[in-house]
Amino acid sequence: MVKFTALALALLLPGVAFAQTRIGEVSTTFRFVGPNDKVLVERYDDPKVDGVACYVSRADTGGLSGAVGLAEDPSRFSIACRAVGPIQIRGEIDKGKKGEEVFTERTSFIFKSMRVTRFFDTQKQVLVYLVWSTKLIDGSPYNAVSVVPLQP
């Protein structure tokens, strides 16, 4: 019943993004009430670059607040982006210093989200993916980066 309530609540919230594919998870902390705290491994395919997939591991807070979607997940994550096939860029990608947001996923009810931003290093001909966190008042310095070369 709790999982159904959390799913129904998540479907009603506008702008809630989910990973394209959940690869797996491991429990890290036992909770007497509600689900355990976990580390999730999720795959995101770059919507503008065919042949590139990013694998993100991130903390997921359990307990009663986590079960109903009110917990705030810690801003700790890792990212590994790889060429998983021939790389084909569709359309224009942002080549500016601010990069282009590729994925966003909420990590709290309203105030916090995990983001993946793509940069293009024209000199080295690589795509650089940065995972970071936003928060309404103040963001987090925790981040991770991964690089995918365009030429083998």
Side-chain angles (χ1 to χ4, degrees):
M1 181 64 180
V2 172
K3 286 184 181 181
F4 176 76
T5 305
L7 177 63
L9 186 66
L11 291 174
L12 293 174
L13 293 173
V16 175
F18 293 98
Q20 291 170 333
T21 303
R22 171 82 45 92
I23 301 299
E25 61 186 49
V26 293
S27 289
T28 58
T29 305
F30 174 76
R31 300 280 188 148
F32 284 104
V33 178
N36 293 341
D37 292 351
K38 299 175 184 142
V39 173
L40 307 176
V41 178
E42 301 167 325
R43 185 189 80 226
Y44 299 84
D45 297 322
D46 190 322
K48 285 190 175 179
V49 183
D50 291 335
V52 172
C54 292
Y55 295 85
V56 175
S57 65
R58 64 180 183 85
D60 183 57
T61 303
L64 191 54
S65 60
V68 296
L70 298 176
E72 183 174 307
D73 296 335
S75 296
R76 296 195 175 105
F77 21 69
S78 176
I79 188 169
C81 298
R82 299 292 185 265
V84 293
I87 296 176
Q88 177 75 32
I89 297 174
R90 288 186 272 134
E92 284 292 314
I93 61 171
D94 189 334
K95 295 179 182 175
K97 298 285 184 197
K98 292 192 179 200
E100 182 175 2
E101 189 173 292
V102 182
F103 319 112
T104 299
E105 185 160 338
R106 286 204 175 152
T107 53
S108 77
F109 183 64
I110 297 174
F111 304 108
K112 191 174 183 184
S113 66
M114 177 197 74
R115 296 179 183 211
V116 175
T117 302
R118 179 193 339 96
F119 299 92
F120 183 62
D121 181 343
T122 55
Q123 188 176 22
K124 297 294 183 180
Q125 289 294 295
V126 296
L127 298 173
V128 180
Y129 293 87
L130 170 72
V131 62
W132 56 291
S133 177
T134 63
K135 199 170 181 182
L136 189 61
I137 303 299
D138 99 290
S140 168
Y142 291 107
N143 63 80
V145 68
S146 186
V147 176
V148 178
L150 293 179
Q151 310 268 330

